Amino acid sequence: MDLITGIKERRSIRKFQDRKVPHEVIEEIVNVAAYAPSWKNTQIARYIVVEDPEKIAAIATEDCTLGFAYNIKTMSNAPALVLLTMVKGRSGFEKDGSYTTPKGDRWEMFDAGIAAQTFCLAAHEKGIGTVIMGIFDENKVAEIVDIPEGQQLAAIIPMGYPVDGEVAAPPRKTAEQLLSFVE
């Protein structure tokens, strides 16, 4: 599939088949996601794939999801959760630890977002469904899955083979609504 088709057809998938994604496929997806651009090529994105059903169930709780029931249901049904972490103190920083930009450490989340979208597009190309989640208690999740020192949880991405049936595209704004020119 060509890039524009992939962008237009990729959807957030919340219902998955009870079928594990092979590790080789996940590795291929991460190898593609590694091409996501990042601040000064810092490549801060890291991926922890949780396949243990007990750990998935422990993350898919009110405590970890801050009570967001929709995320509990989605995570509970996923054969894998990808914990997208980011290496702290690199993106948006100088080597001495000072900020390069007035955005401060917020550039880290920008880079993590680019990495998440690239990961999800690569997964879509392989027939794998994903959804990017941001409502979670990162400290509670870190009690269940060890987050390496110097990294911070940026997003949780449930992934798996989608249940048959197309997910309709939500309405999109037009270029006329989104675009302005300064001439």
Side-chain angles (χ1 to χ4, degrees):
M1 119 182 32
D2 70 90
L3 181 61
I4 292 175
T5 299
I7 291 168
K8 288 182 175 182
E9 290 182 355
R10 189 234 162 235
R11 299 283 174 270
S12 291
I13 302 298
R14 294 177 175 85
K15 294 180 182 175
F16 305 98
Q17 297 175 26
D18 185 19
R19 181 173 144 205
K20 188 176 173 182
V21 178
H23 288 186
E24 305 78 48
V25 173
I26 297 171
E27 288 173 11
E28 290 173 16
I29 293 167
V30 170
N31 279 328
V32 172
Y35 283 87
S38 61
W39 179 273
K40 296 184 180 180
N41 197 33
T42 50
Q43 302 180 48
I44 63 167
R46 301 293 185 272
Y47 306 87
I48 301 168
V49 180
V50 180
E51 298 174 308
D52 178 340
E54 289 180 15
K55 290 194 184 291
I56 291 172
I59 294 169
T61 62
E62 284 203 21
D63 279 352
C64 287
T65 64
L66 303 172
F68 193 58
Y70 202 53
N71 282 2
I72 292 170
K73 183 178 177 183
T74 301
M75 285 193 270
S76 295
N77 149 29
L81 300 179
V82 178
L83 307 183
L84 172 61
T85 68
M86 55 189 177
V87 177
K88 295 288 296 163
R90 288 190 191 163
S91 184
F93 293 85
E94 292 298 317
K95 288 183 181 181
D96 67 3
S98 64
Y99 298 130
T100 302
T101 168
K103 301 256 183 249
D105 67 353
R106 292 176 293 167
W107 204 267
E108 292 172 324
M109 281 302 291
F110 187 84
D111 279 357
I114 296 169
Q117 176 68 350
T118 305
F119 179 92
C120 291
L121 286 169
H124 175 65
E125 171 71 18
K126 298 284 184 190
I128 308 300
T130 57
V131 59
I132 303 168
M133 296 183 166
I135 302 174
F136 53 83
D137 183 320
E138 64 186 279
N139 294 322
K140 299 261 188 216
V141 174
E143 291 173 7
I144 299 161
V145 176
D146 184 40
I147 305 296
E149 188 174 332
Q151 294 181 33
Q152 180 178 357
L153 185 57
I156 297 176
I157 306 173
M159 73 180 301
Y161 291 96
V163 170
D164 293 338
E166 290 204 20
V167 175
R172 299 291 180 196
K173 291 181 172 33
T174 65
E176 185 177 273
Q177 295 169 300
L178 300 171
L179 178 65
S180 61
F181 293 95
V182 178
E183 299 182 65

